[in-house]
Amino acid sequence: MSAPASARPAAPSYAAVLRVPHARRTFATALVGRLSYGTVPLSLLLATQRATGSYAASGAVLSLYGAAVVFLTPARASLADRHGARRALLPLAVAHGGLLCVLAALTWRPGAPVPLIGGAAVLAGACAPPLGPTMRAVWSDLLADPHLLRRAYSLDGVAEELLFVSGPALVGLLVAWTRPASGLLLGALLLVAGTAAFVTSPVMTGPRPRTEGGGRRGGVRGLAAPVVVAAGTGLAISGVELLVLAHVGRDSGDTDLVPWVLGALSVGSALGGLANGAIEWRRPALSRLAAFAVALGLTIAAAGLAPGVLTLTVAMTCAGAFIAPALTTAYLLADESAAASDRTRAGAWVNMAVNAGSSAGGLTTGALLGHLPLPLCFALTGATALASAGVALVGGSRTEPARA
């Protein structure tokens, strides 16, 4: 695939991205499938808790599902690179959707054994198709202009942010009328339907020919910087969520305000992502990546000094403004570092790093909160992003690609 000559306008914009032939259809169908990832985790948590009556069991099942999704992402992405998206994604989607239906059946009524639910959750997570990494690889195929590609990645990141906000809200509306397990059925429907439409897009082809100097089995060269910053960003984000809960509880005692404060983080991320795509950056991608991580870390550290909930909300908006730019730049740098035959897998490593960091961040921050003052916990959480920027600069400068 190659971008048509007319795909490069004089002044690239978000509208220009969506005017590229087949871009709107392909992006929209990918988003339908990806919405499943915003609905399934909460549905699985609620359905398991209702079926078992145990918060511990529901948390364990969700952790098993999440671990299978996260840590097997590069392996599933390799299937898409090796066999082509059409041949790899649809079987994974059908298997994942079928297992979600099995989970819905197991949790529809109380009484199912927890090990059986956990086993089905692991199998379902292991089959989750890598729609996000595949869509980002498609953007690289569609858009030869790096300025347009940066806007496409920013648009993709903002849309993904909105999916993970709207997904739980959709589940909340659903469970108000029926059983939580119905959210698993909805997730299965969204995933299978969205993936089926996605892979039939005209821009989808078979496996890309492997090129000399591309990624080798076991890793893709040049991924150290984006993977490290993605992991540090994930750690910081999940840590901040717990810290906001503690801060609001200490200052006002009204934890109902927590969703609003965290909503400000998401709003800031969306605005920052759109701004990042619109700015014509002159600095190379690696230095931008480090700068965004540094800014995120410093803003989180400063948020620990907020005297009240309103100030904390402003600080979270400012911190969020660097999240989407950091992650978007990490995905772009991974794409630039990989041969065309390894693009999906390269993006999947960054995706895995974000989610793995997010999973670990809550655990480490929870341990810190029990022993250290709250402002120091904010500072240490911000330090994870700062440290990732330092590692990225040291390790990534040797392998940064020429194209920025």
Side-chain angles (χ1 to χ4, degrees):
M1 287 177 287
S2 61
S6 61
R8 181 174 179 172
S13 66
Y14 288 111
V17 170
L18 297 176
R19 282 198 298 267
V20 171
H22 310 299
R24 280 176 293 189
R25 172 195 166 170
T26 308
F27 187 40
T29 54
L31 290 180
V32 171
R34 291 159 75 179
L35 180 57
S36 171
Y37 296 133
T39 61
V40 167
L42 180 58
S43 298
L44 181 59
L45 183 71
L46 296 175
T48 304
Q49 195 281 325
R50 177 164 178 166
T52 64
S54 170
Y55 289 104
S58 58
V61 168
L62 183 61
S63 296
L64 289 170
Y65 171 81
V69 170
V70 170
F71 293 110
L72 292 177
T73 296
R76 294 190 300 270
S78 292
L79 294 176
D81 281 331
R82 189 173 305 155
H83 303 291
R86 283 182 175 171
R87 293 177 61 187
L89 295 186
L90 192 56
L92 286 172
V94 170
H96 184 69
L99 287 162
L100 290 178
C101 292
V102 170
L103 281 168
L106 289 172
T107 57
W108 196 262
R109 292 183 176 83
V114 173
L116 188 59
I117 299 174
V122 170
L123 291 175
C127 298
L131 297 179
T134 304
M135 184 64 232
R136 283 183 282 269
V138 169
W139 282 128
S140 295
D141 291 331
L142 281 172
L143 305 170
D145 185 342
H147 302 290
L148 267 181
L149 181 60
R150 180 159 42 83
R151 281 162 176 75
Y153 269 50
S154 295
L155 183 64
D156 191 281
V158 170
E160 189 168 63
E161 184 85 30
L162 295 176
L163 291 182
F164 282 96
V165 171
S166 59
L170 185 59
V171 172
L173 292 174
L174 189 64
V175 299
W177 296 94
T178 184
R179 299 172 187 268
S182 61
L184 297 171
L185 298 177
L186 174 63
L189 176 62
L190 289 169
L191 186 80
V192 174
T195 303
F198 178 54
V199 300
T200 56
S201 168
V203 301
M204 291 294 184
T205 63
R208 301 178 182 90
R210 299 196 66 79
T211 55
E212 186 177 352
R216 299 182 297 274
R217 189 173 299 176
V220 179
R221 294 180 298 176
L223 283 180
V227 166
V228 167
V229 170
T233 302
L235 276 163
I237 294 171
S238 61
V240 160
E241 291 173 351
L242 188 56
L243 292 173
V244 164
L245 176 61
H247 195 296
V248 172
R250 184 195 68 181
D251 286 359
S252 71
D254 185 4
T255 55
D256 289 343
L257 296 173
V258 171
W260 295 99
V261 180
L262 293 178
L265 188 74
S266 296
V267 169
S269 181
L271 294 175
L274 292 173
N276 174 61
I279 295 172
E280 293 296 332
W281 296 102
R282 297 185 181 275
R283 300 178 66 182
L286 179 62
S287 61
R288 295 200 310 268
L289 180 68
F292 290 139
V294 168
L296 175 63
L298 292 176
T299 310
I300 290 173
L305 304 176
V309 175
L310 180 59
T311 311
L312 180 64
T313 303
V314 174
M316 287 298 101
T317 305
C318 294
F322 301 109
I323 292 173
L327 295 179
T328 297
T329 307
Y331 282 118
L332 278 170
L333 194 55
D335 179 81
E336 293 172 2
S337 302
S341 58
D342 291 298
R343 279 177 178 158
T344 309
R345 182 161 58 105
W349 277 105
V350 177
N351 186 270
M352 185 192 77
V354 177
N355 290 318
S358 182
S359 298
L363 293 174
T364 56
T365 304
L368 293 176
L369 277 171
H371 300 88
L372 298 175
L374 188 57
L376 182 56
C377 291
F378 270 93
L380 291 174
T381 300
T384 62
L386 293 172
S388 72
V391 173
L393 286 175
V394 172
S397 59
R398 302 171 187 152
T399 55
E400 185 180 13
R403 181 165 62 96

